[in-house]
Amino acid sequence: MKQVTQAEQLKQLIAQARSEGKRIAFIPTMGALHAGHLSLVDQVRTDENFVVASIFVNPLQFNDPSDYENYPQSLGVDARLLNDRGVDLLFLPEPETIYPESPNLIGPEDIGSNLGEVLEGEFRPGHFQGVLTVVSRLFDLVTPDIAVFGKKDAQQLALIRQMVAHQLSSGRRMPLKIIAGETVRDEHGLALSSRNARLDSDQIEIARTINTALSSCEGKSASVAKSQALQMLHPDIKVDYLEIVDSESFQPVDDDYSGITLALFAGYVGDVRLIDNREISIKGS
Ligand code: PAF
């Protein structure tokens, strides 16, 4: 696996891979990698693909400065994991490569989306502007044909799809396929997250009630599912939201709705903010 920090080196290696007939498959990350990230690599590691991963802890998407300061970092281990998993190129950009003097900020409203106003958008003001801005910039630099994002960040994934569709329709971007990766969980159902590294063993137990609560929503009406799920969360969890929503609009579904929805959670275990979601089938009341 090659490692580069400069845009120019990246460009050369991408051009070389393309000249060999390869497609560019891209996995952007903020490091502190776990099996969830590595499963994203597995989805695109084929002979036809030149697999590029990036690690950049993006200051712009942290609405809480202490979350940014405490974000786990493990570059040496991450690089070894990516190499062993078959990544061809690791891009480690400097902040000035990603953010030139006046970066072109892209928020949900700039791509005609209202997803920035609800759930994560509401609880983390500016977060999605940071995410879309960095992802768009990384896409400009890496020029991928395929990019992979985890389903655990469901609202992020939906917004990135919307941004790519918007940029394609305005001729701002070449065709790019966004692939979704399944959430990877521990043996008790806790969704793997870089932030889990900041939980002690008692907090891990507490955090495991998130999946129990979300899974319990299956087969109930939206209101019953929500109120029972809230009861199943460990009392020490400080909930930002637990909602049963339509998986495109991210708006709560009506109580008479039957069908597939997303049960979404965000909240704090200690001072660590976790999110999770499960696709569940709801039965209207
Ligand atoms: O999901 C993440 O790790 C980040 O939000 C991303 C997509 C790498 C952008 O910084």
Side-chain angles (χ1 to χ4, degrees), residues 37-72:
H37 294 108
L38 300 177
S39 75
L40 303 182
V41 174
D42 293 344
Q43 281 196 243
V44 287
R45 207 196 43 226
T46 65
D47 287 347
E48 301 86 62
N49 291 343
F50 181 75
V51 181
V52 183
S54 66
I55 299 179
F56 178 68
V57 184
N58 172 31
L60 222 61
Q61 71 187 76
F62 288 84
N63 53 311
D64 172 358
S66 78
D67 190 24
Y68 176 56
E69 280 149 28
N70 292 319
Y71 199 80

Side-chain angles (χ1 to χ4, degrees), residues 28-31 37 54 56-58 61 71 127 130-131 134-135 138 149 153 156 160:
T29 81
M30 297 205 298
H37 294 108
S54 66
F56 178 68
V57 184
N58 172 31
Q61 71 187 76
Y71 199 80
H127 168 66
V131 170
V134 78
V135 170
L138 285 164
F149 295 86
D153 295 289
Q156 163 177 290
I160 290 169

Side-chain angles (χ1 to χ4, degrees), residues 163-228:
M163 178 181 76
V164 168
H166 187 268
Q167 294 180 335
L168 269 174
S169 68
S170 62
R172 153 92 174 76
R173 187 163 307 288
M174 299 298 281
L176 161 60
K177 185 173 171 189
I178 303 293
I179 298 182
E182 292 303 326
T183 302
V184 178
R185 297 176 184 278
D186 77 2
E187 66 277 23
H188 299 282
L190 174 64
L192 299 193
S193 160
S194 304
R195 290 186 171 86
N196 294 355
R198 296 186 50 221
L199 301 173
D200 64 28
S201 55
D202 290 342
Q203 290 175 320
I204 295 270
E205 288 301 326
I206 293 171
R208 283 181 174 146
T209 64
I210 298 167
N211 173 59
T212 315
L214 293 178
S215 304
S216 78
C217 295
E218 188 70 32
K220 299 173 184 161
S221 70
S223 63
V224 170
K226 178 175 167 174
S227 64
Q228 291 187 355

Side-chain angles (χ1 to χ4, degrees), residues 9-22:
Q9 302 165 300
L10 173 78
K11 214 168 138 185
Q12 277 172 16
L13 290 166
I14 300 259
Q16 189 185 328
R18 280 228 162 82
S19 72
E20 290 163 9
K22 303 271 189 183

Side-chain angles (χ1 to χ4, degrees), residues 252-264:
V253 295
D254 293 336
D255 213 32
D256 58 2
Y257 179 80
S258 291
I260 301 295
T261 61
L262 275 182
L264 293 163

